[in-house]
Amino acid sequence: MRAIPVSEALAHMEQILQAANIELKVEDLPEVSELSPVQQNIISMCLKEAGTNVVKHSQATTCKVQQLLSKGSLSISVEDDGIGIHSREGIGNGIRGMEERLSLIDGQLSIASSDEGTTLKFTIPVVLKQEEIVL
């Protein structure tokens, strides 16, 4: 199985969102070299699923993806301006699959939803490489 880099998952996400007339805004999302191929693959699968959910369920016009890299963790959020999730029944197999995948790399999924949209946030632990000091 070939590992899917985050950049490739974002390109796929952009294609499916465009086909549904949903604008994708990507903010602060450079390729993170500290991610292992397994972490990249799991984040990529979660991004693909999140994009699919936005298209199928949100009735959104825009979707924003952004990242926050801090000491010890990486968070990627996927935020739409759609109708939100109105009940626990609105959480289906796609969300459960994301939670299960993230748990394999000690990650977590958090969901915030209202009538103004939904935000999924993937958080995974990351060990940052120290820069070499050149004298």
Side-chain angles (χ1 to χ4, degrees):
M1 182 170 75
R2 181 177 76 82
I4 302 166
V6 171
S7 59
E8 194 173 309
L10 283 170
H12 175 266
M13 189 177 190
E14 183 173 30
Q15 288 175 337
I16 65 168
L17 290 171
Q18 276 182 341
N21 293 317
I22 300 171
E23 179 186 6
L24 176 63
K25 297 178 182 180
V26 178
E27 297 180 3
D28 302 323
L29 204 64
E31 204 65 40
V32 179
S33 61
E34 287 83 6
L35 294 181
S36 72
V38 171
Q39 288 173 314
Q40 285 252 359
N41 205 41
I42 288 175
I43 289 292
S44 294
M45 287 188 288
C46 289
L47 283 169
K48 283 183 167 185
E49 182 63 37
T52 299
N53 286 349
V54 170
V55 169
K56 286 172 118 177
H57 307 294
S58 74
Q59 299 177 22
T61 58
T62 61
C63 178
K64 181 170 64 173
V65 178
Q66 60 188 136
Q67 107 176 350
L68 174 63
L69 181 61
S70 61
K71 200 171 201 169
S73 71
L74 169 70
S75 295
I76 297 178
S77 67
V78 178
E79 178 182 349
D80 69 58
D81 63 354
I83 60 172
I85 300 170
H86 296 287
S87 68
R88 186 71 189 158
E89 288 81 36
I91 296 177
N93 290 329
I95 297 283
R96 285 187 202 94
M98 284 188 266
E99 290 172 330
E100 290 169 4
R101 288 181 188 110
L102 288 165
S103 72
L104 295 172
I105 55 172
D106 296 324
Q108 295 180 330
L109 172 67
S110 62
I111 303 169
S113 189
S114 71
D115 291 341
E116 297 172 6
T118 300
T119 301
L120 302 179
K121 184 176 177 183
F122 319 125
T123 303
I124 62 168
V126 175
V127 177
L128 298 177
K129 298 174 188 169
Q130 291 187 347
E131 293 183 34
E132 291 183 31
I133 298 174
V134 180
L135 300 177

